Amino acid sequence: MKGVISIQSHVVYGHAGNSSAVFPLQRMGFEVWPIHTVQFSNHTQYQQGWTGKAFSAEDISELIAGIDNIGQLKECNAVLSGYQGSAEQCLAVKDAVAKVKQRNPNAIYVCDPVMGDPEKGCIVPPGTTEYLVNDVMPMADVIVPNQFELSQFIQLEIESLEDAIAACQKALTLGPKMVLVKHLHSISNDKFTMMLATQEGCFIAQRPHLKFAKQPVGVGDLISALFTAGLLKGWNAEQAFAHANNASYAILKETQKRQEWELQTIAAQEEIVAPVEQFTVVQVK
């Protein structure tokens, strides 16, 4: 069975980071070896606050060394990274990816470059964005940024579909082989829009923009995990993209139905594998 190392944040209660990504990967048939960059009681959007701590970069390196010591890095088919609790952790992730690829040259690296959200305020430690842009994202096979994170990577503002296409095309010249923009908010007000860019072209997938009293957290982590799982199943990029869009919508719809703001991943688990509603993927370039 294919193994995935997932290096992300973790919350004890709810679904964000590894708590959002691990179960969907497992449900789609993969062994997941989670490494936590931080461990918090709950995600950081609770008004009451949260407890917990960030781990050191050395913790990541030690865990990777331990897995290597028992001869299992060669069984790792993908590294997925998300929120980093320090700038130094970015370098530990970079080293981890290099070591995995040394043991298994066919392994892929999927980078969800969490840089924060300007509307919510910066949530990443100083220096993290710079390391992601200059060191981590260029070495990734796949990047899964939101619109803001993509604009930081290519140093251009995105205000239209044409801008998004140009941004993705530029990103493909900087190292990554695939770009999945997990949310393009400039494209539509009433539909949630994602974009995929590969050497074959640019594609968009749209679904209804569901309304919530409080916007769920961890959706990007979910999308990254679903897309990674699709690629590991051997699906082509467009198929994996469509599935990530359809399955994430199913989970959000169940979350809305239950009037929750923590993702209802467990309740919607059947649709992680076989989402009922299917949305068309359209090639735009």
Side-chain angles (χ1 to χ4, degrees), residues 10-28:
H10 173 74
V11 293
V12 176
Y13 174 81
H15 297 280
N18 270 332
S19 303
S20 180
V22 170
F23 179 71
L25 279 160
Q26 292 171 328
R27 194 65 180 78
M28 289 183 70

Side-chain angles (χ1 to χ4, degrees), residues 13-283:
Y13 174 81
H15 297 280
N18 270 332
S19 303
S20 180
V22 170
F23 179 71
L25 279 160
Q26 292 171 328
R27 194 65 180 78
M28 289 183 70
F30 301 100
E31 289 285 352
V32 188
W33 310 331
I35 295 177
H36 304 328
T37 56
V38 305
Q39 179 161 278
F40 292 160
S41 56
N42 48 274
H43 68 65
T44 59
Q45 298 305 306
Y46 279 86
Q47 291 182 348
Q48 302 95 322
W50 68 93
T51 58
K53 66 177 182 179
F55 296 108
S56 71
E58 289 75 22
D59 288 327
I60 297 174
S61 299
E62 286 178 4
L63 292 170
I64 292 293
I67 298 170
D68 191 29
N69 187 53
I70 60 173
Q72 291 304 305
L73 282 189
K74 68 180 185 295
E75 304 300 332
C76 178
N77 290 85
V79 177
L80 170 62
S81 70
Y83 179 84
Q84 302 302 306
S86 69
E88 292 75 20
Q89 284 183 342
C90 294
L91 298 181
V93 169
K94 187 178 176 184
D95 290 343
V97 171
K99 186 165 284 188
V100 168
K101 290 201 169 201
Q102 184 180 32
R103 301 290 186 260
N104 179 7
N106 294 320
I108 62 170
Y109 172 38
V110 181
C111 174
D112 184 347
V114 181
M115 299 176 192
D117 187 326
E119 294 180 359
K120 296 178 181 177
C122 185
I123 60 170
V124 296
T128 304
T129 295
E130 289 77 10
Y131 274 125
L132 286 170
V133 168
N134 298 321
D135 296 275
V136 181
M137 295 173 75
M139 73 178 295
D141 298 291
V142 182
I143 57 172
V144 192
N146 60 25
Q147 180 173 310
F148 170 72
E149 292 155 356
L150 177 60
S151 68
Q152 291 293 106
F153 184 45
I154 60 147
Q155 295 298 298
L156 290 172
E157 290 298 317
I158 300 169
E159 298 177 350
S160 66
L161 178 60
E162 291 72 24
D163 289 346
I165 292 170
C168 286
Q169 289 175 330
K170 181 175 180 181
L172 290 174
T173 69
L174 300 177
K177 303 175 184 69
M178 294 182 198
V179 180
L180 192 167
V181 190
K182 57 198 174 195
H183 186 197
L184 274 173
H185 60 261
S186 291
I187 305 303
S188 173
N189 291 325
D190 63 332
K191 290 185 179 180
F192 187 94
T193 305
M194 298 200 301
M195 177 174 282
L196 171 71
T198 68
Q199 296 301 329
E200 281 69 50
C202 292
F203 308 81
I204 61 168
Q206 294 184 307
R207 56 170 176 76
H209 212 319
L210 300 172
K211 303 295 183 182
F212 292 90
K214 293 181 181 179
Q215 198 63 33
V217 173
V219 180
D221 309 317
L222 171 66
I223 291 168
S224 298
L226 291 167
F227 188 62
T228 301
L231 294 177
L232 290 180
K233 278 186 170 292
W235 299 344
N236 65 39
E238 296 101 280
Q239 290 172 318
F241 178 55
H243 182 84
N245 183 54
N246 297 335
S248 60
Y249 175 73
I251 292 171
L252 281 165
K253 193 171 182 180
E254 184 67 26
T255 304
Q256 185 195 55
K257 174 185 171 183
R258 292 171 181 253
Q259 298 183 328
E260 298 282 355
W261 75 314
E262 289 287 1
L263 291 173
Q264 297 299 294
T265 312
I266 308 302
Q269 63 178 285
E270 298 302 325
E271 292 201 70
I272 290 173
V273 178
V276 173
E277 293 186 68
Q278 306 281 323
F279 300 97
T280 304
V281 170
V282 178
Q283 185 163 5

